Amino acid sequence: MSTAPPSRKEALTSFIQQIHGRPVVVKLNSGVDYRGVLACLDGYMNIALEQTEEYVNGQLKNKYGDAFIRGNNVLYISTQKRKL
């Protein structure tokens, strides 16, 4: 007997659980990147980051302690390899 593959919702939930507390890159519709540690993510893609850095055209522009990004601005979120 085979197990059915996870649904999209289950796969997304699993991904979010795996990246919580880890470094991520959040790309906005405007092209700006925010890099930091994922503190919280809700169903509307609102994102709270800690140790946040703002990059514009690949250049570091600002550093923030905590940042909140409204979900309607988010193009994508991806994992970021830890800096050694």
Side-chain angles (χ1 to χ4, degrees):
M1 187 162 101
S2 65
T3 306
S7 69
R8 279 188 107 141
K9 185 175 181 180
E10 291 170 337
L12 179 59
T13 300
S14 175
F15 173 71
I16 291 168
Q17 289 172 345
Q18 289 174 12
I19 66 171
H20 188 268
R22 302 184 87 187
V24 296
V25 176
V26 179
K27 181 120 180 147
L28 303 187
N29 295 326
S30 65
V32 176
D33 289 349
Y34 287 90
R35 299 175 189 180
V37 177
L38 181 65
C40 187
L41 176 69
D42 70 11
Y44 296 101
M45 282 292 285
N46 295 318
I47 298 169
L49 295 176
E50 298 171 340
Q51 304 170 28
T52 309
E53 297 176 335
E54 178 183 46
Y55 288 83
V56 178
N57 297 324
Q59 299 291 318
L60 178 63
K61 292 296 178 185
N62 287 302
K63 289 186 177 186
Y64 307 102
D66 296 333
F68 180 80
I69 301 170
R70 189 170 171 186
N72 66 332
N73 295 311
V74 176
L75 181 62
Y76 67 79
I77 181 171
S78 67
T79 57
Q80 174 184 339
K81 292 185 178 180
R82 293 184 190 267
K83 295 177 184 174
L84 299 176

